[in-house]
Amino acid sequence: MTAREVLKQNFGYSEFRAGQEELVGAILSGQDALGIMPTGAGKSLCFQVPGLMFGGITLIVSPLISLMKDQVNALVQEGIAAAYINSSLTERQVARALENAAGGMYKLIYIAPERLLTSEFLHFAHHADIAMLTVDEAHCISQWGQDFRPSYTAIPAFIAQLQRRPVVSAFTATATPSVRDDIVAQLQMKSPQVLISGFDRPNLYFDLKNDRDKYAALLAFLAERRGSSGIVYCATRATVEEVCESLCRDGYVASRYHAGLSDDERHGNQDDFLYDRALIMVATNAFGMGIDKSNVSFVVHYNMPKDIEGYYQEAGRAGRDGEPANCLLLYSRGDVQKNMWMINNASDADETIKARNIERLHIMERLCTTSECLRKHILEYFGESTIENCGNCINCETEFIETNITPDAQQIISCVTRMGERFGAKMVADVLRGMNNAKVQSFKLNKFTTFGISKKSAVTIAEMIDFMISEEYLIKTAEKFPIIKLGSRAKEALQADAAIIMRGKKSGGGASNGETSNSYAPRVAKTFGKHAVNTLLLAALKELRLRIAREQKLPAFVIFHDSTLTDMCMKLPTTIDALLEVSGVGKVKADKYGAEFVAEICKFIK
Ligand code: ADP
Ligand code: ZN
């Protein structure tokens, strides 16, 4: 069978996605491979398909016990012989699994890195035909990365002990060039095929609000999404508790997750979310790595995260199934201050790390105040600079009013200059507005010619300063109390023919306070339209799926993804053969569940 046939027969997909085919091809030809692809891009199939085609066994090193269980469950559903070995099994279960593995029962074996060098596993590995070793979440092997795991250093030692070197493949969603090089070096990969696919997630809609009442904003957002599943990230445990309790009081079935809960409760809550018993998970950033739930249709950030890396990773947990999904960021100045406090009071960071974290925080803040396309802004941060405005984010949809602020900008610049580039934005505004307060007096700032020169409000001046920073007329230093200095374009602004046009958000858009009545309604993006499907049929199919999932004690998305149900609604298959044409329906699942789904569709058509 060709790789494509394996893809169709086992997973029900007719085409590889961009990047998958190259990696699969390289691996099948015996080359090492490194795949760097964003969450949801489809990394798993890159090693699962060749794993099924190799004569021997493929070992997959994975750091997360919950993830292994889900992946193996999903594979078994597709009729694939897979198993996992980790600390959730008893010694006897491990022994039995290894016995089965030695007997050639499994093609794919997921294993925790701690297990690799145990004597029983080494014994097994010596006698087994291991065709490939795959390292999932490969950035964990790098000390330069944010999630370094010492147990990953066992991997090269393990490979070295094998009688025959297997193909080595590695996958991650997050890798800077230094981490990437480190992965190749640490794993001693041999001239690997490296594939870095774009970081864009076109099906995610990026939304941004700075409503004063965050909870009201959250409720308005959720009211438009009853019945769909999502995550609400909060900065602290206390906020998680508060938001979760309020949501439950307001009639939502929400669960919570943070490091302060017992292991049992955390696992229980995670399962509730996974199995759709609780549709909303309110959590700190402790929740997520390894949440492989494909039908998360929104991620809300109740607080602004401390950097774009974290934000994008968390937001990226929405829409893994490729369906349109929504990422809402509720931003407030208070979040910036809280983050700043946390960075400055982190006990484990030296000054260089603190400075870098503060800089990252300012970059995150810029994302929240820009009038630019948010997707473009994010992707440029990750080094992708050639994209157009996306048409699928709040800033692209917001009407901006253009105001000529040249005289104000010139006043601000000359005020900053006169004040000796030594003060923060608030002081600059105070001086411009002629506030004769104690601090102004103590520095004798009321003697300047720019004192009291402006008739604008404090808010407007703050907005103009933010805008001038984003346009590089001014700089905000990366300090605990940031200082405003002249930027590289300050001179340009003072020239006679200067025209500085600020794009401000009209009320109803992005980071403004006004709300139009339908601004939280689920978006139908231009390029990512929800397909016109019959919602009644879709609901019926979801109900059928839920019933089967409960009977089988599996998460619903392991039976069929939402995208598969949607495709059924489009293609309306009335025979098993026709059902096999639906994206995500492989042979085994068609045999197992096909009749029931076809019957449901026939009933509907009648
Ligand atoms: P990652 O590990 O990169 O985050 P996954 O491997 O979990 O992503 O895949 C994300 C989703 O995309 C899964 O639901 C998977 O079934 C689906 N998928 C992967 N490859 C394809 C493909 N070629 N065609 C259609 N769907 C795919
Ligand atoms: Zn955009």
Side-chain angles (χ1 to χ4, degrees):
M1 268 205 282
T2 64
R4 204 178 265 222
E5 284 162 355
V6 171
L7 179 72
K8 181 68 202 161
Q9 165 139 10
N10 291 281
F11 301 97
Y13 300 128
S14 350
E15 304 282 340
F16 279 111
R17 288 184 181 156
Q20 288 178 328
E21 198 146 30
E22 286 95 317
L23 286 169
V24 169
I27 290 172
L28 285 174
S29 74
Q31 193 184 357
D32 287 356
L34 171 62
I36 297 169
M37 303 156 111
T39 312
K43 289 184 281 297
S44 319
L45 288 184
C46 297
F47 56 83
Q48 288 166 348
V49 168
L52 292 177
M53 298 174 71
F54 281 136
I57 296 168
T58 289
L59 294 179
I60 301 124
V61 181
S62 167
L64 295 147
I65 292 175
S66 60
L67 189 67
M68 285 189 215
K69 193 169 140 227
D70 289 346
Q71 292 218 341
V72 168
N73 270 341
L75 288 167
V76 170
Q77 280 304 302
E78 318 272 8
I80 292 165
Y84 59 89
I85 295 173
N86 62 35
S87 60
S88 75
L89 303 183
T90 62
E91 246 169 73
R92 275 195 46 195
Q93 287 172 317
V94 172
R96 185 146 10 101
L98 287 177
E99 214 172 282
N100 289 341
M105 205 155 134
Y106 309 122
K107 294 296 294 177
L108 305 173
I109 302 176
Y110 286 74
I111 178 147
E114 299 80 23
R115 292 271 152 178
L116 288 171
L117 296 178
T118 59
S119 55
E120 69 267 48
F121 194 74
L122 279 173
H123 177 78
F124 155 75
H126 272 301
H127 297 88
D129 173 16
I130 296 171
M132 174 160 71
L133 185 126
T134 293
V135 184
D136 205 3
E137 309 287 356
H139 59 282
C140 292
I141 202 170
S142 172
Q143 306 218 30
W144 308 115
Q146 40 182 341
D147 300 309
F148 173 60
R149 296 192 175 218
S151 57
Y152 263 56
T153 50
I155 302 171
F158 172 77
I159 297 174
Q161 293 199 33
L162 294 176
Q163 299 187 353
R164 184 168 67 94
R165 184 183 181 280
V167 172
V168 176
S169 59
F171 297 87
T172 174
T174 45
T176 56
S178 54
V179 172
R180 199 184 304 155
D181 295 343
D182 208 24
I183 293 172
V184 172
Q186 298 291 328
L187 290 174
Q188 296 161 25
M189 298 179 100
K190 290 189 186 148
S191 43
Q193 163 88 19
V194 180
L195 192 124
I196 304 163
S197 72
F199 272 71
D200 190 17
R201 300 280 313 282
N203 61 324
L204 301 186
Y205 178 87
F206 293 104
D207 198 353
L208 181 70
K209 294 272 181 317
N210 76 343
D211 292 11
R212 209 144 281 153
D213 187 345
K214 290 191 178 200
Y215 187 67
L218 177 64
L219 281 184
F221 178 85
L222 293 177
E224 300 278 358
R225 293 174 174 74
R226 287 205 176 261
S228 52
S229 179
I231 306 172
V232 180
Y233 278 110
C234 304
T236 63
R237 296 175 192 183
T239 316
V240 168
E241 293 292 335
E242 191 187 307
V243 171
C244 185
E245 208 180 299
S246 306
L247 286 178
C248 291
R249 189 195 58 215
D250 286 323
Y252 287 92
V253 187
S255 190
R256 57 185 182 160
Y257 191 103
H258 60 68
L261 304 174
S262 70
D263 280 359
D264 278 354
E265 189 183 348
R266 274 207 316 265
H267 286 148
N269 293 355
Q270 177 169 328
D271 272 358
D272 284 347
F273 180 65
L274 219 56
Y275 286 75
D276 290 329
R277 291 187 291 261
L279 286 180
I280 301 174
M281 178 59 98
V282 187
T284 61
N285 62 5
F287 181 70
M289 178 141 102
I291 299 306
D292 203 8
K293 188 176 191 213
S294 69
N295 65 335
V296 174
S297 71
F298 61 85
V299 168
V300 176
H301 280 88
Y302 200 74
N303 303 102
M304 186 191 86
K306 61 185 188 338
D307 50 44
I308 294 189
E309 285 91 339
Y311 168 68
Y312 200 56
Q313 194 171 44
E314 284 154 18
R317 296 195 174 114
R320 290 178 77 121
D321 53 6
E323 293 287 291
N326 203 303
C327 307
L328 171 64
L329 170 53
L330 297 171
Y331 155 81
S332 76
R333 295 244 162 220
D335 293 334
V336 181
Q337 282 151 14
K338 264 183 229 145
N339 277 315
M340 187 66 90
W341 189 90
M342 288 202 270
I343 291 172
N344 277 305
N345 290 280
S347 51
D348 55 349
D350 63 27
E351 289 309 312
T352 13
I353 294 184
K354 275 186 195 171
R356 203 182 58 204
N357 289 345
I358 290 175
E359 193 187 323
R360 285 195 190 161
L361 177 63
H362 285 316
I363 295 172
M364 182 71 213
E365 195 186 349
R366 289 261 292 271
L367 176 69
C368 296
T369 52
T370 183
S371 61
E372 228 188 28
C373 167
L374 293 175
R375 173 173 276 104
K376 199 166 145 181
H377 200 95
I378 293 169
L379 294 179
E380 273 173 6
Y381 177 72
F382 289 116
E384 291 177 29
S385 54
T386 52
I387 29 158
E388 299 294 308
N389 286 353
C390 73
N392 194 24
C393 77
I394 184 77
N395 284 0
C396 281
E397 288 192 345
T398 302
E399 268 191 68
F400 289 92
I401 337 170
E402 301 202 332
T403 332
N404 187 331
I405 60 159
T406 315
D408 303 278
Q410 290 172 341
Q411 285 170 2
I412 291 171
I413 287 173
S414 79
C415 190
V416 169
T417 313
R418 267 162 234 259
M419 290 167 74
E421 302 181 82
R422 288 185 298 137
F423 296 93
K426 181 168 180 308
M427 281 291 273
V428 175
D430 281 355
V431 171
L432 282 165
R433 295 176 62 235
M435 309 301 287
N436 215 346
N437 57 34
K439 208 166 165 199
V440 167
Q441 286 173 10
S442 73
F443 287 102
K444 299 205 169 51
L445 300 175
N446 49 3
K447 301 278 181 285
F448 292 143
T449 48
T450 47
F451 184 75
I453 200 176
S454 174
K455 299 275 168 297
K456 297 278 159 45
S457 72
V459 173
T460 307
I461 294 179
E463 255 175 38
M464 290 192 288
I465 291 179
D466 277 345
F467 168 76
M468 289 171 71
I469 294 167
S470 70
E471 293 292 309
E472 295 173 17
Y473 294 109
L474 298 173
I475 299 170
K476 182 155 127 184
T477 59
E479 287 172 279
K480 189 169 177 184
F481 300 106
I483 287 170
I484 303 297
K485 297 188 171 205
L486 298 188
S488 58
R489 296 179 65 196
K491 271 216 188 85
E492 191 184 311
L494 297 175
Q495 270 147 23
D497 59 349
I500 303 174
I501 311 294
M502 179 164 90
R503 297 182 78 211
K505 296 176 191 197
K506 238 183 192 169
S507 62
S512 83
N513 287 321
E515 277 313 319
T516 51
S517 58
N518 65 347
S519 64
Y520 287 107
R523 309 275 164 171
V524 180
K526 287 165 203 87
T527 45
F528 250 89
K530 259 215 192 303
H531 332 284
V533 299
N534 189 299
T535 47
L536 282 176
L537 176 60
L538 187 61
L541 295 181
K542 280 189 177 174
E543 206 172 297
L544 171 61
R545 177 180 66 176
L546 190 63
R547 206 199 72 221
I548 297 174
R550 296 230 156 116
E551 281 165 15
Q552 309 254 337
K553 298 197 168 44
L554 286 169
F557 64 87
V558 170
I559 309 293
F560 283 126
H561 290 300
D562 282 6
S563 49
T564 301
L565 299 189
T566 308
D567 204 33
M568 283 184 201
C569 294
M570 308 245 302
K571 297 191 173 132
L572 300 174
T574 53
T575 62
I576 297 287
D577 273 349
L579 186 70
L580 280 167
E581 296 301 312
V582 170
S583 167
V585 182
K587 179 102 184 44
V588 172
K589 280 189 184 174
D591 287 348
K592 232 193 274 183
Y593 311 120
E596 282 180 276
F597 281 86
V598 165
E600 192 68 40
I601 293 166
C602 290
K603 199 169 92 194
F604 172 81
I605 292 176
K606 263 200 216 131

